[in-house]
Amino acid sequence: MELNKNNNKPTVFSGVQPSGILHLGNYLGALVQWVEMQDQYNCIFSVVDYHAITIKQNPEELKKRIINVVKMYLASGINPEKAIIFQQSAVSAHTELAWILNCVARIADLNKMTQFKEKAGDQEKTVSVGLYDYPILMAADILLYNTDIVPVGDDQIQHVELTRTLARRFNREYGQIFKVPEVIIKKQGARIMGLDDPTKKMSKSAGSPANYIALTDSPEVATKKIMRAVTDSDSEIKYDLKKKPAIANLMTIYSLLAGLSLKELEQNYKNKGYGDFKKGLAQAISKFLTQFQIKYNSFTDEKVKQILKHGADKIRPIAEETLKNVKNKLGII
Ligand code: AQP
């Protein structure tokens, strides 16, 4: 079953886990790209709540975050009339297919996943099995909907590669079922780095809020974070990812939010220091946050719940049909 039988548009699937407040990295690396794709593709955007519980969450907080992530999708410009927005746990086929794919995946496949190694750190033996298995659930999310394209930030490329491997392996071993999806990432902004450490990506669950600009930060808080952001040793405003990773990261954020090229920024800040540059960047971020938050605050919880219900009701049949076909191939009837 296709999402919309009357059009031949390719299907796009992506999601964000409600594991914290979304930040500029999520926005610039993923959401901006989703908004651009709405007209050309059949888009499905999920709030992947089962991914969030791979790390212990406060239940009351999680409830609120699920709603707030949707509000952030809407404030970013995702239009529920064009794209389907739904909550992963509302479609039980996701976890069922994940189990089946668990039986197709090899331990060696998962042992290659760098995100697990980064997230588990030296706690590898005590983190949840779910954190280790997360890429399999992600593969199920994608494969249930005959997805053609998965737009993500660059940290997720390896997981989409694994999805492709599992789809091919299942098709080879049991017969053709799954479409093998393509990953796409943005040319600029696919990996926004932490403000406190430009060698690590900006992350919702970073130890310190100084790492990220949350999309709900007030302009004052955001300005303070920018003024304190780590810089490189000299004072020249020049884009050089290898030699000057901190300023390159700040320039990327500035360029994307203000619509100025990196060259234009270099010109504008020639013979000026980091202080002036950071003031300009803080203004661009403040302007963006003010506009974003007006939209974010305009959506009610009730409206969000309606959107989620409508989205899940619309796509559940597609997921169930894929699952039924998969079970048939396996001999589970
Ligand atoms: N720093 C980033 N730069 C660019 N893109 C990013 N994404 C995440 N961080 C950056 C992209 O945002 C989408 C949603 O991410 P996610 O919620 O699935 O989880 P994640 O990739 O693990 O992101 P976080 O913020 O680091 O969350 P936590 O801390 O909870 O693990 C994805 O497309 C991702 O690539």
Side-chain angles (χ1 to χ4, degrees):
M1 187 187 298
E2 293 301 322
L3 204 56
N4 181 346
K5 284 185 178 162
N6 300 323
N7 75 37
N8 292 319
K9 294 177 180 176
T11 297
V12 162
F13 181 95
S14 201
V16 171
Q17 40 168 346
S19 47
I21 299 167
L22 271 59
H23 50 70
L24 275 182
N26 299 128
Y27 177 76
L28 297 173
L31 297 184
V32 165
Q33 186 167 216
W34 298 5
V35 174
E36 286 165 1
M37 299 180 95
Q38 292 180 103
D39 291 313
Q40 273 173 286
Y41 301 93
N42 288 317
C43 290
I44 310 175
F45 299 127
S46 184
V47 181
V48 286
D49 47 353
Y50 276 150
H51 285 278
I53 60 165
T54 55
I55 292 175
K56 190 166 185 300
Q57 303 290 329
N58 172 315
E60 285 310 312
E61 279 294 308
L62 183 60
K63 263 188 221 166
K64 285 188 214 143
R65 283 202 203 121
I66 291 166
I67 299 286
N68 291 346
V69 168
V70 178
K71 290 184 184 174
M72 291 192 178
Y73 287 2
L74 301 174
S76 300
I78 292 164
N79 179 349
E81 306 282 321
K82 295 182 185 167
I84 289 182
I85 302 175
F86 80 105
Q87 186 176 344
Q88 180 192 34
S89 61
V91 180
S92 59
H94 287 250
T95 41
E96 274 195 70
L97 182 60
W99 177 256
I100 293 170
L101 293 177
N102 268 330
C103 301
V104 175
R106 312 278 182 260
I107 300 274
D109 294 324
L110 285 180
N111 282 349
K112 289 183 202 148
M113 298 296 116
T114 53
Q115 195 183 70
F116 173 75
K117 288 178 194 147
E118 277 162 27
K119 288 200 171 175
D122 55 8
Q123 310 290 310
E124 248 184 55
K125 295 230 161 57
T126 51
V127 293
S128 75
V129 175
L131 189 68
Y132 182 67
D133 202 31
Y134 168 121
I136 306 291
L137 179 57
M138 179 167 160
D141 300 338
I142 296 166
L143 296 177
L144 277 174
Y145 301 102
N146 308 312
T147 301
D148 295 279
I149 299 170
V150 189
V152 284
D154 117 328
D155 61 315
Q156 295 294 341
I157 294 176
Q158 199 184 26
H159 294 163
V160 183
E161 277 303 325
L162 175 65
T163 303
R164 289 164 56 83
T165 302
L166 296 180
R168 285 201 206 95
R169 191 179 295 155
F170 188 97
N171 290 344
R172 198 173 54 242
E173 292 180 2
Y174 295 99
Q176 183 66 36
I177 286 275
F178 295 124
K179 202 175 252 185
V180 180
E182 302 289 332
V183 66
I184 58 166
I185 62 161
K186 286 187 76 218
K187 282 201 185 87
Q188 206 189 2
R191 194 174 189 86
I192 300 293
M193 310 308 280
L195 301 178
D196 56 349
D197 180 356
T199 65
K200 294 207 175 103
K201 74 164 192 140
M202 188 176 279
S203 187
K204 287 186 224 92
S205 45
S208 155
N211 168 273
Y212 54 80
I213 305 276
L215 296 176
T216 50
D217 276 348
S218 67
E220 295 72 31
V221 167
T223 299
K224 273 190 198 140
K225 288 184 182 178
I226 289 298
M227 297 317 281
R228 284 183 198 149
V230 168
T231 46
D232 308 294
S233 51
D234 66 12
S235 61
E236 196 188 2
I237 310 301
K238 190 171 172 1
Y239 187 86
D240 186 333
L241 201 53
K242 276 208 176 116
K243 291 192 191 135
K244 295 164 68 72
I247 207 72
N249 185 43
L250 297 181
M251 285 178 79
T252 300
I253 297 173
Y254 200 160
S255 162
L256 289 168
L257 289 182
L260 294 166
S261 69
L262 297 169
K263 280 272 162 279
E264 282 170 317
L265 286 174
E266 284 177 356
Q267 277 301 322
N268 294 355
Y269 289 97
K270 207 172 175 182
N271 304 323
K272 293 186 184 161
Y274 288 150
D276 286 328
F277 172 82
K278 282 182 162 182
K279 269 188 210 148
L281 170 59
Q283 271 170 14
I285 292 177
S286 297
K287 188 172 164 205
F288 161 76
L289 288 176
T290 304
Q291 289 166 352
F292 183 90
Q293 288 165 16
I294 290 172
K295 286 188 237 152
Y296 174 78
N297 289 320
S298 71
F299 303 108
T300 63
D301 291 8
E302 277 319 302
K303 175 79 188 155
V304 168
K305 285 178 192 165
Q306 272 170 18
I307 290 171
L308 287 174
K309 179 172 177 345
H310 174 78
D313 288 347
K314 190 149 183 208
I315 53 150
R316 195 177 286 109
I318 305 173
E320 285 176 352
E321 190 175 312
T322 306
L323 186 64
K324 191 176 91 196
N325 293 336
V326 168
K327 285 180 167 177
N328 273 336
K329 291 279 185 201
L330 289 165
I332 296 172
I333 42 169

